[in-house]
Amino acid sequence: MPAGHLTTKHRTEPAVTAHTDARLVRVALLGCGTVGEGVVRLLRRNAEMFERKLGAAFDLAGVADRSLRPNPALGLESRLITRDPASLVIRPDIDIVVELFGGQEPARSLMLKALEAGKDVVTANKALLAENGDEIFRTAAKCGRAVGFEASVGGGVPIIRTLREALAGDRQLAVYGIVNGTCNSILSVMTEAGTEFEDALRQAQESGLAEADPTLDIEGHDAAHKLCLLVTLAFGVLLKPARVFTEGISRITRADINYARQLGYTIKLLAIAKDDNGAIEARVHPTMIPRRHLLADVAGAFNAIYVHSEALGPTMYYGQGAGQLPTATAVMADILEIARHRRAGSRGGAHALGYPAGAVRPGSIKRMDDVVCEYYLRFMARDQPGVLGAIASVLGRNRISIASVIQQERGVGSTVPVIMRTHEAPERNLKRALMAIAKLKMVESSAFIRIEERL
Ligand SMILES: NC(=O)c1ccc[n+]([C@@H]2O[C@H](COP(=O)([O-])OP(=O)(O)OC[C@H]3O[C@@H](n4cnc5c(N)ncnc54)[C@H](OP(=O)(O)O)[C@@H]3O)[C@@H](O)[C@H]2O)c1
């Protein structure tokens, strides 16, 4: 019985390297940081439950991490720890490699190497899968191995399996995700406490919710990575992050949030995917949504994915989108599922993306110019007669009709804010109108936020 064997009564027995016991499933961990440590905790804490569910025990056979020190309380003895991940992923006794390094390299090469060596792989690495998922899933199919990636979108929220399996009997029409807890926390603080963006970001950094360099989160790139995976699962279309229109939350002001409230909206960073008769919309941007909508109540670091299916209608999946144990539960669910397939002698990964290997192809992605939305517009204009009329006339020439206007408080010096909500128009028309309005001497600046009224 090996040293890492996770049934409590066997934990201290000596290690063996040969794969001799069919009642063991041997797991190697790449990375024992936040999520990796959570996986070790769950393996230890729930060892007996997993053994009952699987009919075999998990054996944590090795952990590759450049900075990990032995931690006897966690059962991480020095003989389990290695600085040589390349050797670990091809060790003959390993069944499942769990990649929790993050980033592109060496995670990509190690996953490919593990698959080619006959291991199944579990990962939480959305950045890697969004950029290189096609190569990884093709290699898995070629090698007859599985790739589990439940933790890569929504942390502990089981959205990957839901789209691939539970909703597989229906056609998906649209997916709206609050999939970045950092942005959602910042926007929640701005909304609830009336804070400006920079202060809310600083608070998020101080509480550990935002990285020291928050760019990946606040500029929407992390959400775009997750959207690529959601698009593939929902529509069977391969999408790379470069093709996702991505705009972050750093230009949202406290004033925008207040005007949104007056107009009956809440601002959220949404990852939006729609299938418009084969043309896929894929965009990440701050979005005004009706305050009465379920997604408007998703506050703080929570995530939610709202799916519109043709026959079923809307469903929503909500929960902890990050954090050690929530994310580790999703990793463990993949490990367990793969282990079940291994023990049954079946291939669990043949349809990891919900389609046979090779059936997921690049699709037609709608240009932002063709996307139709309603818009919130904010102009800072000179406080003089005729301003409203001049702006409205440019909008009208570009076939944008105004649904409502707020013009109430005096601005700084001689400027006043002019706030408008429009009816639906293609983004091409809005951009043309804003370029023309920028030439009006009486308008000093403009900003807009897209509205999703009927999600
Ligand atoms: N944290 C979350 O809540 C969460 C949620 C969903 C998904 N994820 C995903 O889960 C993955 C892991 O995230 P995490 O938050 O656990 O990261 P983390 O805390 O930074 O842990 C990564 C661990 O791997 C080690 N490592 C990284 N590259 C290595 C290399 N080349 N060789 C040896 N060791 C290496 C790191 O060592 P150093 O500390 O020395 O760098 C660290 O101990 C990422 O793909 C992330 O996107 C995380």
Side-chain angles (χ1 to χ4, degrees), residues 350-368:
H351 291 73
L353 294 169
Y355 297 81
V360 176
R361 299 207 177 85
S364 140
I365 308 298
K366 209 189 245 190
R367 290 155 50 96
M368 270 316 275

Side-chain angles (χ1 to χ4, degrees), residues 31-36 64-67 100-103 106 124-126 151 155 321-324 327:
C32 195
T34 304
V35 183
D65 190 297
R66 62 187 161 210
S67 44
L100 295 168
F101 277 173
N125 194 334
K126 59 266 175 175
Q324 182 171 87
T327 309

Side-chain angles (χ1 to χ4, degrees), residues 29-33 63-69 81-85 88 100-101:
L29 204 56
L30 305 182
C32 195
V63 182
D65 190 297
R66 62 187 161 210
S67 44
L68 184 67
R69 301 269 163 254
I81 299 171
T82 174
R83 308 284 185 234
D84 182 4
L88 181 63
L100 295 168
F101 277 173

Side-chain angles (χ1 to χ4, degrees), residues 224-254:
H225 291 150
K226 293 164 179 166
L227 187 66
C228 290
L229 297 173
L230 293 174
V231 162
T232 301
L233 288 154
F235 308 125
V237 165
L238 186 68
L239 179 66
K240 297 263 180 170
R243 298 195 70 193
V244 177
F245 173 83
T246 306
E247 186 183 298
I249 61 167
S250 53
R251 275 172 293 173
I252 299 295
T253 66
R254 179 171 57 173

